[in-house]
Amino acid sequence: MADRMRISLSRGDITEQHVDAVVNAANSSLLGGGGVDGAIHRKGGGAVLAECRRLRASHYGGGLPPGQAVATTAGNLPARWVIHTVGPVYSTSEDRSAVLASCFTESLRVAHGLGAESVAFPAISTGVYRWPLDDAARIAADALHNAEVTVPRVELVLFSETALAAFRRAFDTA
């Protein structure tokens, strides 16, 4: 399906991307945190947090489960929407790769449903959730290349040169 999507990789700050939707590597509370989640909430401002609180008060009282995705306004970000997805914590004793793949495919499904023409992804689960970069990049590449639902332009915005190199290897763009 990737032939209907143009996928690009770059090093940068996901909160500065001029795309229709930015994917947030959220925690299940949807109320902000560290890393990408904290940066998106800080820059997006009160409107993002207010919509997340409404989601918690209605459909996601127990939090957003890992592998699922939900959209809110982007607030002060240069995007139209934030798509929040909760990546799995890496485990050496349990294979959670399908949950990580679901973060990408469910986020694409939500973006498609919104009518987004472009979406930016971070390296989901590779920060505080400790997923090894090379493996996360491979899972992301497989998920995006095999997704049933697509958007015209997908950007993977990586925060470090190390992450960018891992994702380039996985997407064969080195």
Side-chain angles (χ1 to χ4, degrees):
M1 293 292 161
D3 57 325
R4 292 186 283 145
M5 277 193 304
R6 192 174 85 244
I7 299 173
S8 64
L9 295 91
S10 64
R11 181 169 180 238
D13 180 344
I14 199 156
T15 68
E16 296 176 358
Q17 302 309 303
H18 293 267
V19 291
D20 290 335
V22 169
V23 175
N24 179 20
N27 66 50
S28 63
S29 77
L30 294 175
L31 303 179
V36 169
D37 193 22
I40 284 175
H41 273 273
R42 280 189 301 278
K43 195 158 185 176
V48 176
L49 183 58
E51 281 197 29
C52 285
R53 283 189 174 136
R54 280 194 290 279
L55 287 168
R56 284 299 306 270
S58 59
H59 298 20
Y60 299 101
L64 183 66
Q68 293 189 17
V70 65
T72 66
T73 181
N76 298 327
L77 294 166
R80 292 177 64 189
W81 301 287
V82 173
I83 298 171
H84 306 268
T85 190
V86 180
V89 174
Y90 181 72
S91 171
T92 56
S93 62
E94 180 183 348
D95 182 5
R96 299 176 179 167
S97 56
V99 178
L100 182 55
S102 180
C103 291
F104 289 92
T105 57
E106 285 299 301
S107 294
L108 275 179
R109 184 188 57 74
V110 170
H112 178 82
L114 292 168
E117 295 286 316
S118 56
V119 61
F121 284 91
I124 299 166
S125 285
T126 62
V128 70
Y129 289 177
R130 301 179 321 279
W131 205 288
L133 270 172
D134 287 326
D135 195 44
R138 178 191 56 77
I139 291 166
D142 288 346
L144 292 173
H145 285 303
N146 294 305
E148 293 179 15
V149 175
T150 64
V151 296
R153 183 167 54 103
V154 171
E155 298 179 15
L156 286 114
V157 181
L158 296 311
F159 193 70
S160 71
E161 285 297 327
T162 304
L164 179 59
F167 275 72
R168 280 190 173 145
R169 284 190 297 276
F171 280 85
D172 292 321
T173 59

